[in-house]
């Protein structure tokens, strides 16, 4: 049961809403494509919302993937900086999530992928119950030390493309250690979304912290 479902004992079940943010090219859509089958394999009923500037390109990519019923994928066109629709005025995303819940009453979890942005990107708590921030090693191992709001405030920090570390001169162990330090010990998980490595650890965390499954 999601946090939203617990607001009133007699309230109807409400899907948990999980945000996925991060810089351009960090691997957000690739992570969504890995999470879909991993969540479905555990019997979790899901839907997806993608955010792009003025296109529905990410939504179309997910729809064409064959991983999920295309009707369960909605697109939001921000028309401006992604901050606008995930933090400053998340109305468009809230409406898209509400519509998915009306169309698919059994949905338990909605993934909301933000458009690519910078290290300051954060989600409104009016929109999401839980949000993760995705960075990648190719962006540099100094990202944690820069202490951007996305890195600091996210419920989960995902360090993606770990397979590239030796090729871009990144000390992965130090990057992970520094990320954990700046986040005060809150979760930091490593992934290689190209191969699906580390994705099950994210699903474990979502089951425990968002869906409250033991």
């Amino acid at each position: 049961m999601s946090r939203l479902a617990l607001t009133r004992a007699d309230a109807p079940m409400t899907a948990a809403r999980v945000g996925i943010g991060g810089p351009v090219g960090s691997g957000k859509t690739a992570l969504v494509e890995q999470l879909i089958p991993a969540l479905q394999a555990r019997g979790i009923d899901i839907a997806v919302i993608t955010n792009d500037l003025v296109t529905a390109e990410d939504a179309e990519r997910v729809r064409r993937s064959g991983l999920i019923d295309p009707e369960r994928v909605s697109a939001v066109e921000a028309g401006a900086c992604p901050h606008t629709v995930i933090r400053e005025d998340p109305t468009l995303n809230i409406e898209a999530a509400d519509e998915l819940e009306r169309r698919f009453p059994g949905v338990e979890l909605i993934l909301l992928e933000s458009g690519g942005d910078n290290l300051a990107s954060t989600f409104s708590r009016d929109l999401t119950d839980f949000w993760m921030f995705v960075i990648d090693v190719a962006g540099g191992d100094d990202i944690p030390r820069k202490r951007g709001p996305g890195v600091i405030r996210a419920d989960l920090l995902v360090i993606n493309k770990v397979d590239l570390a030796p090729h871009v001169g990144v000390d992965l162990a130090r990057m992970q250690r520094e990320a954990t330090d700046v986040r005060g010990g809150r979760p930091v998980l490593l992934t290689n979304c190209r191969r699906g490595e580390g994705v099950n650890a994210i699903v474990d965390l979502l089951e425990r912290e968002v869906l409250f499954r033991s």
Side-chain angles (χ1 to χ4, degrees), residues 129-208:
D129 300 291
F130 183 99
W131 65 283
M132 62 186 83
F133 196 75
V134 184
I135 60 176
D136 71 281
V137 299
D141 58 7
D142 60 341
I143 291 178
R145 296 196 298 275
K146 292 179 179 179
R147 301 175 65 91
V151 171
I152 299 296
R153 298 177 188 171
D155 296 300
L156 168 65
L157 179 66
V158 176
I159 301 177
N160 190 32
K161 303 182 185 179
V162 295
D163 55 312
L164 297 182
H167 305 291
V168 294
V170 166
D171 183 333
L172 187 59
R174 184 179 68 182
M175 187 177 184
Q176 183 180 20
R177 183 173 62 251
E178 291 178 346
T180 301
D181 288 344
V182 301
R183 286 176 50 75
R186 285 182 296 160
V188 177
L189 294 176
L190 307 183
T191 60
N192 172 2
C193 287
R194 184 177 181 183
R195 296 184 177 275
E197 297 167 0
V199 173
N200 280 329
I202 296 176
V203 176
D204 288 342
L205 189 148
L206 293 177
E207 281 201 294
R208 183 174 64 252

